[in-house]
Amino acid sequence: MTGHNEDIANHIADYLKKNKQEVTLEQLVDTDAYDLPDYDAVVVATYTYHDGDLPDEAEDFYEDLKDVDLKRTKFAVVGSSSKSHIHYGRAVDYFTMQLNSSNGDQAADSVKVDQEADEDDFKRIDQMADYVIKSLQ
């Protein structure tokens, strides 16, 4: 809605490419959760909507994850929200829990960003990406 997570996803993709990683960048609405086990690692970027809700466009993907065995696929989750909400970053928490429940292997701590990512946030995001890269070696 604001483009904050698109900026985050593009930043992660660029960072991974700079570090010689092959990257496929897709919107959750266009992604088939059943294809995730085909990847070595997955980074989900999501925002938290309203009172801690998943974005509408992510709901089908999230529901499908319940039926997917990630077969130890490495993953990380990042997302923007507003610290002014009581349920700050809850969608990040939901995805982290579901990816773990789907037998994924969490490569890095989840990262929550207060609205638009700043320089410090991008450092934390880069660190998350570094952990994902290390987990693949």
Side-chain angles (χ1 to χ4, degrees):
M1 294 175 74
T2 62
H4 298 324
N5 283 290
E6 183 176 359
D7 292 343
I8 291 169
N10 287 327
H11 176 86
I12 294 168
D14 291 343
Y15 186 86
L16 292 171
K17 288 175 188 175
K18 275 196 301 190
N19 285 279
K20 312 233 182 312
Q21 302 300 308
E22 187 177 328
V23 175
T24 302
L25 184 63
E26 296 180 358
Q27 292 187 9
L28 288 179
V29 69
D30 298 327
T31 303
D32 187 341
Y34 296 97
D35 291 338
L36 294 187
D38 296 337
Y39 293 93
D40 296 322
V42 176
V43 179
V44 174
T46 185
Y47 64 91
T48 300
Y49 183 69
H50 196 53
D51 286 329
D53 300 326
L54 292 171
D56 290 341
E57 59 271 20
E59 286 181 359
D60 288 341
F61 176 83
Y62 180 84
E63 288 299 317
D64 287 347
L65 276 176
K66 294 176 180 178
D67 298 324
V68 174
D69 181 359
L70 291 176
K71 301 176 185 168
R72 307 304 297 163
T73 300
K74 310 293 185 203
F75 77 88
V77 183
V78 59
S80 67
S81 188
S82 173
K83 283 188 175 179
S84 66
H85 290 111
I86 190 168
H87 303 295
Y88 172 64
R90 186 173 273 178
V92 171
D93 298 334
Y94 287 150
F95 270 107
T96 301
M97 287 185 290
Q98 187 54 57
L99 289 161
N100 272 305
S101 293
S102 295
N103 204 26
D105 184 10
Q106 189 169 354
D109 290 339
S110 300
V111 176
K112 296 179 184 180
V113 175
D114 185 23
Q115 298 185 30
E116 186 174 4
D118 62 19
E119 186 177 331
D120 289 336
D121 294 318
F122 283 122
K123 286 179 185 175
R124 292 185 308 124
I125 292 166
D126 291 349
Q127 184 179 38
M128 178 195 72
D130 285 336
Y131 279 113
V132 172
I133 293 167
K134 276 185 189 175
S135 75
L136 296 172
Q137 297 172 347

